[in-house]
Amino acid sequence: MDGDLEKATALLQDIQAKCQDSTNHVNDLCKRAVAWEFNTSKGISFLEVKYQMLLSYLVNLTYLMLRKAGGQSIHGDETVLRLVEIRTVLEKMRPIDQKLKYQVDKVVRLAATGGAASDDPMRFKANPDSLESKLASDSEEGSDSEDDDDQSSKLYKPPKLAAVHYDGDETVLEKKQKQVESQRKRALSSAILQDLKEQYHDGPTEIREAKDMHRLKATKMMMEKERYEEDNFMRLPMSKKERQNQKQLAGMSSLNSVTYFGSFNPLDLEEGGGEGFSNKRRKMDKSKGKSKKGGKKKGFKKKRRH
Amino acid sequence: MSEGTATIRTRKFMTNRLLCRKQMVVDVLHPGKATLQKTEIREKLARMYKTTPDLIFCFGFRTQFGGGKSTGFALVYDTLDYAKKFEPKFRLARQGLYEKPVRPGRKQRKEKKNRVKKVRGTKKASVGNPKKAAA
């Protein structure tokens, strides 16, 4: 009990001393403020609002503390409402403050250093003058000379260099990997896998019409034939001429690479794609034996060897 | 994918009540492999439609250019009796449900006809092949 009493008296004396100090300090500031030392008219008005709000908040808070210290209740006091209002405003100001942070920092730095440094990255902004076309000035100067010059300067000259992908930095390994990747991508997007994807896809099926300009008629006839065959559950016989036409369509004009639907080796995870298939012809599976679209006589299989 | 089993999809499915069968267009996806045998396709379809494979008749399989996909037709009958009644003989023969009656060659038939022409009445039946026996 005695110890507590001693502590209490010490604290009270402490409070008294500190109060004295703070009143002195505040009086000093007031004198200086009255003497217009702190002129904020040229400052950022947003910040002025902020500290005025803070000030009024403090004032209201001290009033409440005073009343409480005097033993009076603060229930239903207007001061509380005022405090709440000021608090809300301050909360709303916080995100704006964050957004302004960069600007404020810049201004402060400017004020502190007294001027921008020479290697300040802020100085490297775009120079709109240099974006102006020089041709206009040229043609104006050359108007005295012959007409040919004038016309030639207006003539569009394409650049002599075309941009090409630079692959000198790629190692052989990287090239191989890229090749494997592209093969995998091609295998994944092959027609067969697209069919499978469509089968398990929940959404509606898309039917895209790809019109090959060179074979419009042939394609149309083929589509008609397919439709007829499927509707009537039969296979139409092909005459020799038709067979030869189809051979021609599918053979010469569509090169090997186009009709090579590929093995699915790139998708094999264990093998890792194997060696790169640089020469597709070489890798064409002989045992597969390419069969023609339709037009196949029973028991007669023509195997293409490449 | 190259070691997986082939996938079968059916399109344009129709139940033909008049002929007591179901008919459909069959798409077989078999990347990296040769075209499936008809027997295998029949077995797969039997599993799909919960029947025995001998009620299924498939035909007309054509592989698309480049391989990997083939399209054909399939008929699934209700009973074997109806199958035997409605299915053309050559398709039944493919599955072994019909044996073509072996008959003498064309030339023999024509010669017999000419011999029969010469005789009148009930003697036609007993023409046989006397000339052959004689020769």
Side-chain angles (χ1 to χ4, degrees), chain A residues 56-82:
Chain A
S56 48
Y57 191 84
L58 281 173
V59 165
N60 281 309
L61 206 61
T62 28
Y63 173 70
L64 284 180
M65 277 164 60
L66 184 69
R67 280 182 69 103
K68 277 222 106 163
Q72 294 164 359
S73 139
I74 57 168
H75 177 73
D77 207 334
E78 283 177 357
T79 323
V80 178
L81 295 169
R82 252 177 270 147

Side-chain angles (χ1 to χ4, degrees), chain B residues 30-49:
Chain B
H30 49 91
K33 296 199 288 188
T35 315
L36 244 59
Q37 295 292 331
K38 281 205 283 274
T39 43
E40 287 177 38
I41 297 176
R42 275 167 59 207
E43 269 161 39
K44 283 192 199 279
L45 282 171
R47 254 177 279 145
M48 270 172 74
Y49 287 94

Side-chain angles (χ1 to χ4, degrees), chain A residues 66-296:
Chain A
L66 184 69
R67 280 182 69 103
K68 277 222 106 163
Q72 294 164 359
S73 139
I74 57 168
H75 177 73
D77 207 334
E78 283 177 357
T79 323
V80 178
L81 295 169
R82 252 177 270 147
L83 275 175
V84 168
E85 197 185 314
I86 296 167
R87 190 66 190 276
T88 334
V89 173
L90 283 171
E91 292 282 310
K92 291 246 156 98
M93 285 169 85
R94 212 192 298 156
I96 307 173
D97 195 29
Q98 272 220 335
K99 285 180 188 166
L100 276 179
K101 185 174 172 321
Y102 170 73
Q103 299 275 24
V104 168
D105 282 348
K106 204 163 98 177
V107 168
V108 162
R109 211 184 313 135
L110 200 68
T113 60
S118 59
D119 56 351
D120 183 8
M122 302 302 158
R123 296 181 104 219
F124 298 149
K125 64 172 189 176
N127 184 11
D129 295 334
S130 60
L131 293 172
E132 211 179 81
S133 158
K134 295 284 193 299
L135 288 174
S137 55
D138 274 356
S139 63
E140 278 167 21
E141 284 172 7
S143 60
D144 303 330
S145 55
E146 299 142 329
D147 283 359
D148 286 348
D149 266 12
D150 201 16
Q151 281 181 8
S152 68
S153 65
K154 285 192 179 154
L155 195 66
Y156 169 67
K157 287 207 173 89
K160 285 183 185 152
L161 293 173
V164 178
H165 176 67
Y166 175 63
D167 59 352
D169 281 339
E170 288 177 26
T171 61
V172 177
L173 196 68
E174 272 180 32
K175 275 197 193 144
K176 276 204 173 152
Q177 278 175 352
K178 272 204 180 150
Q179 208 176 29
V180 168
E181 268 304 311
S182 70
Q183 274 168 8
R184 189 173 286 178
K185 229 194 278 180
R186 229 178 292 143
L188 275 173
S189 65
S190 72
I192 296 157
L193 280 175
Q194 295 290 346
D195 271 341
L196 276 179
K197 249 191 243 175
E198 204 196 277
Q199 181 184 6
Y200 294 108
H201 184 54
D202 281 343
T205 53
E206 295 173 35
I207 302 175
R208 278 191 216 112
E209 199 184 68
K211 284 196 162 181
D212 182 0
M213 283 296 139
H214 300 292
R215 299 178 218 151
L216 266 177
K217 204 166 146 193
T219 319
K220 204 164 118 181
M221 279 195 7
M222 220 194 57
M223 301 295 288
E224 178 60 31
K225 187 165 167 234
E226 275 254 356
R227 192 198 61 80
Y228 184 85
E229 279 185 357
E230 287 195 352
D231 279 346
N232 300 335
F233 269 73
M234 55 185 293
R235 290 285 181 208
L236 288 167
M238 275 194 153
S239 70
K240 225 184 213 173
K241 235 183 201 176
E242 281 179 8
R243 225 186 290 266
Q244 276 178 0
N245 267 343
Q246 206 171 62
K247 211 198 287 186
Q248 200 188 49
L249 268 180
M252 185 179 71
S253 45
S254 62
L255 316 160
N256 275 340
S257 49
V258 172
T259 57
Y260 180 64
F261 289 97
S263 62
F264 286 88
N265 266 346
L267 295 176
D268 250 336
L269 293 172
E270 302 112 45
E271 290 178 16
E275 335 85 62
F277 288 4
S278 52
N279 194 349
K280 283 181 191 159
R281 288 196 182 187
R282 193 190 344 128
K283 289 294 175 181
M284 193 97 68
D285 215 336
K286 285 181 191 168
S287 61
K288 254 202 278 190
K290 291 229 277 209
S291 55
K292 299 285 183 310
K293 227 186 317 198
K296 204 166 70 156

Side-chain angles (χ1 to χ4, degrees), chain A residues 192-193 195-196 199 229-231 233-235 250 259 261 264 268 290-295 298 304, chain B residues 1 7 9 11-12 23-25 29 31 59-60 62-63 65-66 68-69 71-75 94:
Chain A
I192 296 157
L193 280 175
D195 271 341
L196 276 179
Q199 181 184 6
E229 279 185 357
E230 287 195 352
D231 279 346
F233 269 73
M234 55 185 293
R235 290 285 181 208
T259 57
F261 289 97
F264 286 88
D268 250 336
K290 291 229 277 209
S291 55
K292 299 285 183 310
K293 227 186 317 198
K298 212 176 175 176
R304 267 207 199 153
Chain B
M1 186 85 170
T7 314
R9 284 191 295 162
R11 282 188 289 134
K12 298 200 179 177
Q23 52 198 45
M24 65 207 81
V25 176
L29 300 169
F59 58 96
R62 294 272 168 85
T63 313
F65 198 81
K69 181 172 172 184
T71 313
F73 309 111
L75 311 168
R94 278 183 196 171

